[in-house]
Amino acid sequence: MDHEQLEAARPLLRRAASPRGDGWIGGVRAPSPGWEYVTFDAYRLRPGQTIVRPADRLERLVLVLEGRAAVCAGDEDFGVVGSRTTVFDGPPPPVVLVEPGRPVEIVAESDALVVVAAAPGGPIGRTACIAPGDVPVEHRGTSETARTVHHLLAPSAAAGRLIAFEVLTPGGNWSSYPPHKHDTEDPPVESRLDELYFYRFAKPQGFAFQRVYLGDRSFDEALTPMDGDLVLVPGGYHPVGVPSGYDCYYLNVMAGPNRAWHFTIDPDHEWLMNWEPPAATSEETTG
């Protein structure tokens, strides 16, 4: 990854919009300059509003982050899904994974925050709904780096290309920490993954600080995401700091040429590592 590619993806911080007529509040298309794999859309829906995606070559992830919605994927009817009023209410959301070649329809049953992520299909195609109770929950880090991670679609899960986590970080703590990167395809040391962050805050005026930088500092940018904003991380190290008083949530969606999550920690800050990354498994796929 070089600074020209990061420059091409600007703006890395995409501010949330007021809901359009269809409920859309923000997103990113792939491929686009500096951004190759992940397509993402966030919606704030009113009861009865509908999202439709045609059958195509993309793998999709449907997450009803808040509220409830009915989800269908081709001839698979998953019924009404949803597990919480806000992302801070505790349980993970149900995870609906849709293989390429299936249309998707989502109909809000209540006010709902829904995201639809997509990436080119990989060697595994699976359509399934993962229940909240089947989503692994990890308590990562200690003291000022403590946070909770919901492994929505971990690299060990059967899927084509998408990877997804959600992270809850208490106000005053650090996350995505110590600074790490995954922008070089060098298995099993590092994976090439586009990553985006979709932010929520327990208090709507909340904010975070996110730095995206290269080791040689030829690109070095500090961002201030707020509620509903997106941050694109096509490359570089990318730690997050959360001010005291503003509990933070973010959804991470990643995809790249191979479905694995291996990263390199910034050598300057490697001494801060206080958690164990998951080991590679035979279920990780390439393609």
Side-chain angles (χ1 to χ4, degrees):
M1 177 63 60
D2 56 34
H3 74 276
E4 285 85 3
Q5 290 170 283
L6 282 165
E7 290 284 353
R10 285 183 185 275
L12 299 186
L13 174 59
R14 311 288 175 98
R15 294 291 186 192
S18 297
R20 298 187 316 201
D22 61 357
W24 186 88
I25 60 171
V28 63
R29 304 267 75 73
S32 59
W35 188 252
E36 190 172 357
Y37 290 98
V38 178
T39 292
F40 182 92
D41 293 288
Y43 297 84
R44 285 204 169 276
L45 301 179
R46 299 184 304 276
Q49 283 192 294
T50 301
I51 303 167
V52 175
R53 293 290 186 274
D56 55 24
R57 297 181 178 181
L58 297 179
E59 176 182 55
R60 288 191 167 85
L61 187 63
V62 178
L63 297 171
V64 182
L65 297 180
E66 299 176 352
R68 293 169 63 80
V71 181
C72 289
D75 57 1
E76 293 267 5
D77 185 350
F78 295 111
V80 177
V81 301
S83 61
R84 58 198 182 188
T85 302
T86 81
V87 296
F88 296 96
D89 286 341
V95 178
V96 178
L97 178 67
V98 182
E99 64 196 284
R102 293 199 180 209
V104 177
E105 181 179 75
I106 305 153
V107 182
E109 293 282 319
S110 68
D111 289 342
L113 175 62
V114 177
V115 302
V116 182
I124 292 178
R126 181 166 74 115
T127 297
C129 183
I130 303 167
D134 294 328
V135 173
V137 176
E138 175 191 0
H139 299 289
R140 181 177 294 177
T142 59
S143 188
E144 292 85 0
T145 65
R147 63 271 199 195
T148 299
V149 181
H150 296 163
H151 294 255
L152 302 181
L153 195 63
S156 58
R161 206 173 298 272
L162 289 165
I163 298 170
F165 303 91
E166 55 182 12
V167 181
L168 294 109
T169 307
N173 281 18
W174 286 85
S175 196
S176 290
Y177 203 76
H180 63 276
K181 73 179 185 76
H182 38 72
D183 56 21
T184 301
E185 190 61 26
D186 182 22
V189 175
E190 188 173 337
S191 307
R192 160 78 177 94
L193 292 168
D194 283 348
E195 180 174 19
L196 64 77
Y197 286 65
F198 173 68
Y199 280 91
R200 294 279 284 116
F201 292 88
K203 297 181 185 297
Q205 71 271 35
F207 63 100
F209 293 100
Q210 184 159 20
R211 185 185 180 196
V212 180
Y213 68 98
L214 296 177
D216 63 5
R217 308 304 192 268
S218 60
F219 187 96
D220 194 344
E221 183 166 328
L223 309 168
T224 55
M226 300 184 70
D227 194 50
D229 291 348
L230 288 177
V231 170
L232 308 186
V233 183
Y237 302 102
H238 45 278
V240 175
V242 182
S244 179
Y246 293 112
D247 290 351
C248 172
Y249 163 97
Y250 56 77
L251 168 68
N252 288 139
V253 180
M254 294 177 268
N258 297 295
R259 194 171 183 275
W261 184 56
H262 304 301
F263 56 85
T264 299
I265 297 172
D266 185 339
D268 288 347
H269 307 296
E270 194 167 11
W271 65 277
L272 292 162
M273 187 64 174
N274 62 4
W275 57 279
E276 189 68 28
T281 76
S282 60
E283 294 182 38
E284 289 181 352
T285 64
T286 60

